[in-house]
Amino acid sequence: MSITQITREFLGLSSDTKPTDVATGSKFIELDTKKVFIFDGSSWYLNPMPVMVTDSLPTGSNIIGKVGIDSGNNGVSIIGSYANQFEQLTIDATAGGISLTFGTYGTNTNAYITVEGADIRFRVDGGAPTVTLGLLVKDGGIIKLDSLSDIQNFKAIRTSTTSATINCSYSA
């Protein structure tokens, strides 16, 4: 399991507002224009390095594929097998936390989860998260789970009175 919020790599569209409360060197990848922007501490600038984003994703799908960031040349590529399941869940104050849906993830071993609308805490050790216990993921953060066990044991709860939405993409 890894939390990629720390790496400060954001995916979005050219019409999305880029965040400004991020670390210097953060990347924003516009999936529709295939441009990569770097944050210099005060503003975003277009990365002058060559970038490759493949167009092989199925049209009209809810899947993202695997996104690889090559830090050596600041390149971006969408590669590998595609996610084959997707779900959106509301993370509220349910005691014990909200789990991912077995009927959706099945036997998939990878999950790519985005957090929107509020901060959450989550656990994958079988324990229940609370508003003060568990791994904190801020609004806009990304969670990557890389084992079926982590997916099965994932439980999340909101940290405030505002519920969050998580978008989950699953692959083998």
Side-chain angles (χ1 to χ4, degrees), residues 81-156:
S81 63
Y82 299 115
N84 54 28
Q85 296 295 333
F86 174 86
E87 70 178 324
Q88 186 176 71
L89 299 169
T90 298
I91 303 301
D92 57 22
T94 299
I98 302 293
S99 298
L100 303 174
T101 309
F102 173 76
T104 303
Y105 66 75
T107 60
N108 286 302
T109 56
N110 296 288
Y112 181 87
I113 303 168
T114 61
V115 179
E116 300 173 11
D119 300 349
I120 67 169
R121 286 196 182 268
F122 78 96
R123 293 178 65 172
V124 294
D125 63 352
T130 68
V131 296
T132 59
L133 181 64
L135 298 170
L136 177 65
V137 181
K138 298 283 190 176
D139 178 14
I142 298 170
I143 302 166
K144 291 183 183 177
L145 304 176
D146 56 11
S147 76
L148 180 57
S149 175
D150 285 350
I151 294 170
Q152 290 169 331
N153 291 316
F154 179 91
K155 293 180 184 172

Side-chain angles (χ1 to χ4, degrees), residues 44-64:
W44 291 94
Y45 69 91
L46 181 62
N47 181 5
M49 300 299 286
V51 175
M52 182 192 112
V53 178
T54 65
D55 289 321
S56 59
L57 295 177
T59 304
S61 66
N62 284 331
I63 61 177
I64 189 169

